[in-house]
């Protein structure tokens, strides 16, 4: 069985002020061409089809076009919802679309019900595990404490139980949208931290042939059988060094896995440059970046006049300007944003408690803070889906 593993399309998302719909349409065309060229038997899309729960009309039209083109190829496609998607909206019409070979898996209760495809060597069961917001699905999976590991483990128990009841030799693929331990995050993924713990161990997925992960935007191999495809396009400058690609996976008759990275089209390269404005405008080594989308970090001790206008004279596609004067971290003029860089909302709250009281929160208070952040995020998810 040969299938194409992709995820995190984020249809409708912009890159800073640049509309990415044209680049996303180019990717869809590339995907369809790849399916033809490599004689792909199935396509799997591991969540975050859209960038938000209520996507713009143009993004919905592009998704509709993608579904029609994939259905016209006669190649089955299995998709799950991610944490950016509205599972209920994405799943509308799933039963009818299923007849065209497009299998939308957005209902947590159906985790143990696979899409079964066959090749010359027998059946391959594709299990779709949509993004599982712990606070919203803990009752469905009868877990005592809402957490990513607990709900994913319960979902995988259903997968393994179903697989055990199938004919010997049935191969299996799991689609999941999660932050798995060992994965490297970027700035463009929405935080899914629960109780201070977002990552789940790869061992949760033991017992299946291949795990097609979504959520993290960098293409990554956690084990030979557990991989992220990453997003097909860069959505933040933290992805400047990413090689955007899809996995072409062959699942042999005995369950052995081989995977090849296939590159995606790059609408424009990304570059992060740093230095004083005068240096950036004069440095001949930066000539190679003059056609790239640019994030410039200016280290001038005093903010220069008209920095963006001057920068775009040389770098016409400059999109982001960051001011970071070369100062010691303890310097009182270091910006608040720089002091908070890389810290989670919960860590910031804990630091605030320590600042106003002189001592950090105790274990009981840490629990209260964690529960409060979990409740706010779950409520935000419910509100977004209900819009």
């Amino acid at each position: 069985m040969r299938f194409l593993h992709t995820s995190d399309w984020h249809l409708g998302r912009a890159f800073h002020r640049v509309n990415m719909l044209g680049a996303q349409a180019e990717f869809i065309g590339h995907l369809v061409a790849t399916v033809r060229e490599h004689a792909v038997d199935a396509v799997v899309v591991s969540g975050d089809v859209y960038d938000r729960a209520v996507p713009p009309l143009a993004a919905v039209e592009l998704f509709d076009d993608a579904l029609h083109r994939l259905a016209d190829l006669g190649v089955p496609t299995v998709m799950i919802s991610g944490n950016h998607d509205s599972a209920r909206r994405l799943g509308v019409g799933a039963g009818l679309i299923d007849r065209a070979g497009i299998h939308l898996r957005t209902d947590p209760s159906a985790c143990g019900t696979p899409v079964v495809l066959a090749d010359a060597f027998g059946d391959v069961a594709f299990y779709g595990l949509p993004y599982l917001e712990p606070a919203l699905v803990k009752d469905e999976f009868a877990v005592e404490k809402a957490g990513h590991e607990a709900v994913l483990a319960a979902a995988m128990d259903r997968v393994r139980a179903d697989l055990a009841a199938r004919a010997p030799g049935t191969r299996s693929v799991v689609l999941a949208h999660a932050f798995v331990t060992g994965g490297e995050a970027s700035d463009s993924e929405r935080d899914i931290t629960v109780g201070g713990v977002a990552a789940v161990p790869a061992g949760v997925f033991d017992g299946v042939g291949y795990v097609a992960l979504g959520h993290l935007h960098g293409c990554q191999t956690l084990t030979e059988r557990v991989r992220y495809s990453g997003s097909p396009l860069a959505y933040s400058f933290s992805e400047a060094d990413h090689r955007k690609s899809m996995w072409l996976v062959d699942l042999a008759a005995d369950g052995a896995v081989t995977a090849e990275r296939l590159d995606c089209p790059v609408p424009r390269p990304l570059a992060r440059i740093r230095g004083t404005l005068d240096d950036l405008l004069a440095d001949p080594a930066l000539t190679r970046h003059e056609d790239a989308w640019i994030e410039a970090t200016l280290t001038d001790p005093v903010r220069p006049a008209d920095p963006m206008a001057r920068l775009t004279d040389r770098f016409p596609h400059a999109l982001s300007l960051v001011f970071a004067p070369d100062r010691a971290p303890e310097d009182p003029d270091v910006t608040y944003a720089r002091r908070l860089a890389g810290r989670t909302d919960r860590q910031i709250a804990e630091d605030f408690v320590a600042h106003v009281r002189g001592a950090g929160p105790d274990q009981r208070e840490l629990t209260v803070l964690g529960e409060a952040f979990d409740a706010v995020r779950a409520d935000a998810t419910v509100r977004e889906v209900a819009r």
Side-chain angles (χ1 to χ4, degrees):
M1 177 73 66
R2 168 170 286 186
F3 59 92
L4 199 60
H5 168 198
T6 179
S7 73
D8 295 273
W9 294 358
H10 289 278
L11 300 181
R13 185 165 186 161
F15 182 73
H16 291 263
R17 61 178 179 270
V18 177
N19 186 318
M20 295 294 283
L21 206 65
Q24 291 169 340
E26 184 180 0
F27 162 70
I28 296 299
H30 170 73
L31 173 71
V32 171
T34 300
V35 170
R36 283 201 201 95
E37 178 185 350
H38 292 274
V40 170
D41 299 311
V43 175
V44 301
V45 186
S46 298
D48 282 353
V49 174
Y50 291 122
D51 188 56
R52 57 181 187 265
V54 185
L57 179 59
V60 177
E61 290 173 338
L62 180 55
F63 179 58
D64 181 65
D65 177 63
L67 295 187
H68 277 85
R69 294 172 74 178
L70 289 168
D72 287 345
L73 291 176
V75 175
T77 300
V78 185
M79 295 183 171
I80 61 171
S81 49
N83 60 302
H84 279 251
D85 299 309
S86 164
R88 292 180 64 184
R89 281 190 174 86
L90 187 64
V92 168
L96 189 62
I97 297 171
D98 197 79
R99 300 178 189 176
I102 307 293
H103 309 283
L104 300 174
R105 292 296 183 261
T106 63
D107 183 357
S109 67
C111 285
T113 305
V115 175
V116 180
L117 305 178
D119 63 10
F121 304 105
D123 288 346
V124 180
F126 288 79
Y127 296 90
L129 277 56
Y131 171 66
L132 303 174
E133 174 61 44
L136 302 182
V137 301
K138 63 184 180 68
D139 293 337
E140 166 64 33
F141 292 105
V143 297
E144 293 183 4
K145 185 176 180 180
H148 282 282
E149 183 174 354
V151 296
L152 269 173
M156 283 302 301
D157 284 344
R158 295 187 184 183
V159 168
R160 285 185 283 263
D162 180 85
L163 189 57
R166 295 187 175 273
T170 300
R171 290 156 292 160
S172 57
V173 175
V174 167
L175 290 70
H177 196 86
F179 186 1
V180 178
T181 304
E184 183 177 344
S186 63
D187 292 343
S188 55
E189 299 115 6
R190 181 181 295 171
D191 180 32
I192 59 171
T193 302
V194 169
V197 179
V200 300
V204 164
F205 299 103
D206 285 351
V208 295
Y210 182 83
V211 182
L213 292 174
H215 180 56
L216 299 185
H217 288 184
C219 182
Q220 302 170 59
T221 299
L222 304 185
T223 74
E224 287 304 306
R225 295 181 181 273
V226 181
R227 300 170 187 263
Y228 282 100
S229 67
S231 61
L233 296 167
Y235 291 115
S236 76
F237 278 103
S238 66
E239 301 171 48
D241 295 329
H242 286 190
R243 174 188 163 195
K244 295 302 183 180
S245 56
M246 302 177 286
W247 286 113
L248 182 66
V249 182
D250 284 300
L251 195 59
D254 62 358
V257 171
T258 56
E260 176 187 359
R261 286 181 73 175
L262 302 179
D263 291 334
C264 294
V266 178
R268 189 178 298 279
L270 274 59
R272 297 175 116 171
I273 58 178
R274 181 185 182 94
T276 65
L277 180 57
D278 287 343
D279 287 346
L280 297 182
L281 295 178
D283 188 351
L286 299 180
T287 300
R288 61 194 176 96
H289 296 315
E290 289 179 351
D291 196 44
W293 280 322
I294 294 289
E295 178 188 73
T297 299
L298 300 186
T299 60
D300 301 73
V302 178
R303 184 185 295 247
D306 300 321
M308 183 58 91
R310 293 168 62 191
L311 194 69
T312 53
D313 281 343
R314 182 179 186 187
F315 305 101
H317 304 290
L319 298 179
S320 175
L321 201 57
V322 179
F323 292 95
D326 284 333
R327 295 172 178 153
E330 62 273 12
D331 189 320
D333 289 331
V334 171
T335 67
Y336 182 67
R338 285 183 66 191
R339 293 199 300 272
L340 297 185
R343 304 187 67 73
T344 66
D345 289 344
R346 179 170 168 175
Q347 288 170 329
I348 293 169
E350 292 170 10
D351 288 348
F352 175 76
V353 172
H355 173 72
V356 299
R357 196 172 63 186
D362 59 27
Q363 189 55 53
R364 182 184 64 81
E365 291 165 334
L366 288 172
T367 300
V368 171
L369 280 172
E371 291 174 348
F373 279 111
D374 293 349
V376 168
R377 189 186 52 262
D379 181 66
T381 300
V382 171
R383 289 174 182 272
E384 189 171 13
V385 169
R387 283 173 60 195

